[in-house]
Amino acid sequence: MANTSQPVHRTALLASAVALLGLLSACGSEGSTSSAPQPTEAPRTTSPDTGASTAPAVTTAPSDTAGSASASARTDGRCHTSELRAAVGRVDPGAGQRNFPIVLTNTSDRTCTLYGYPGVAFVDASGKQLGPDPERAPASPETVTLTPGKSAWAGLSFSSPQISGARTATPAALLVTPPDERDPIEVEWTAGEVPVGGDESSVSVTALDAGTGP
């Protein structure tokens, strides 16, 4: 009779080996699923031109350089002598006084401002000043904004020399200096004698106001 114990034994050994291999594979799978979580990277974008993956761009706060430049430009809005035309209006006599509006007109193409009192001085044909500087009439000046073509005025007043008896002279011109400027504007003087000395010879000037006079 044939011996069958040897094949049966091989079959049993093969089954044991397969079972052991399955057990080891199961252990390996469980170990791989228990690994520590990986760090998450920032999302990346793909360049439409090259197809290359690129990191997201960093967004920065908008610069305020333009705003600072605009603010700086606004701080120097003063009207300069070169941007103005000066004129002396018609006399407005009253109660022994002679009153003249001194008018400054913006001839530039920008808006500018005037604040305070203009400087004024009577001069002869050689440019020599006649009489003392005018006194400033008490006032609370306000900023006058002049768009192109607009004007501001100040009042120039003195007692009529025929009444006051003050020493007089006839100026060739009136020098008008805008507030905070150094260069004057020369305006021809055609209104006759002005007081330049003695009692009752004072001349006064008012602060600038909008318009061309009363």
Side-chain angles (χ1 to χ4, degrees):
M1 185 175 84
N3 188 0
T4 60
S5 61
Q6 187 172 358
V8 172
H9 181 67
R10 288 178 179 175
T11 301
L13 289 177
L14 181 60
S16 298
V18 171
L20 179 60
L21 180 61
L23 180 61
L24 292 175
S25 298
C27 292
S29 298
E30 292 177 359
S32 63
T33 59
S34 61
S35 59
Q38 299 299 312
T40 302
E41 295 182 357
R44 306 175 71 85
T45 59
T46 302
S47 170
D49 297 328
T50 63
S53 178
T54 59
V58 179
T59 301
T60 59
S63 172
D64 194 36
T65 302
S68 299
S70 298
S72 176
R74 288 193 299 270
T75 59
D76 188 16
R78 185 178 80 246
C79 297
H80 302 294
T81 299
S82 60
E83 299 173 308
L84 298 168
R85 179 180 68 247
V88 178
R90 291 190 304 175
V91 62
D92 178 24
Q97 289 287 111
R98 304 192 73 191
N99 309 298
F100 299 86
I102 301 172
V103 182
L104 292 172
T105 301
N106 181 7
T107 60
S108 74
D109 58 0
R110 74 179 185 104
T111 297
C112 58
T113 60
L114 293 171
Y115 176 83
Y117 297 80
V120 293
F122 294 111
V123 296
D124 62 17
S126 66
K128 179 181 178 182
Q129 182 170 334
L130 301 173
D133 291 335
E135 300 175 354
R136 291 182 174 185
S140 298
E142 295 184 358
T143 299
V144 181
T145 300
L146 299 183
T147 55
K150 293 300 182 180
S151 303
W153 73 282
L156 180 71
S157 301
F158 53 84
S159 296
S160 175
Q162 289 77 17
I163 297 175
S164 68
R167 184 165 54 88
T168 65
T170 301
L174 179 71
L175 300 184
V176 182
T177 307
D180 300 315
E181 291 290 297
R182 293 180 179 273
D183 298 325
I185 304 170
E186 183 175 310
V187 182
E188 182 182 7
W189 182 260
T190 59
E193 296 179 325
V194 300
V196 296
D199 295 338
E200 305 297 330
S201 63
S202 63
V203 179
S204 66
V205 63
T206 66
L208 286 159
D209 199 359
T212 57

